[in-house]
Amino acid sequence: MEAWAEDQGVKDSMVTFLADTRSELTQALGMVLDEERVMEKLGNPRCKRFALVVEDLAVQAVRVAGGGVPDEATFAEAMLELC
């Protein structure tokens, strides 16, 4: 995740990248993507595309792509507008 943050130019910034290798956070947040078409192609559940704004351990904003919400709404630029 650190290399990805560096590649994206946000290393050591206010943006934090988190890995969820066992899907624990994904499940706790209700963000499991287990639609049949996804399972057929990828074999196991994935995480929905989403972004959070968290300040002092409190979630200030949530955006989940899909259902009429474009991926771009979860991009860092769009989320930073909410800060």
Side-chain angles (χ1 to χ4, degrees):
M1 298 307 291
E2 192 173 315
W4 188 17
E6 187 172 343
D7 177 69
Q8 296 300 303
V10 296
K11 186 176 177 184
D12 299 323
S13 73
M14 66 187 292
V15 176
T16 303
F17 287 72
L18 301 172
D20 186 23
T21 56
R22 296 189 306 236
S23 296
E24 295 167 318
L25 180 62
T26 301
Q27 291 175 27
L29 293 173
M31 295 294 176
V32 176
L33 178 61
D34 57 1
E35 297 172 10
E36 186 175 334
R37 64 185 178 85
V38 173
M39 301 292 284
E40 286 175 1
K41 293 187 185 229
L42 301 176
N44 55 334
R46 301 296 172 142
C47 183
K48 295 178 182 179
R49 180 181 186 91
F50 74 99
L52 302 172
V53 173
V54 181
E55 187 174 339
D56 295 327
L57 302 178
V59 175
Q60 303 297 318
V62 179
R63 287 196 177 154
V64 182
V69 177
D71 289 353
E72 292 81 5
T74 66
F75 290 4
E77 297 84 1
M79 296 304 291
L80 288 171
E81 291 176 5
L82 304 175
C83 294

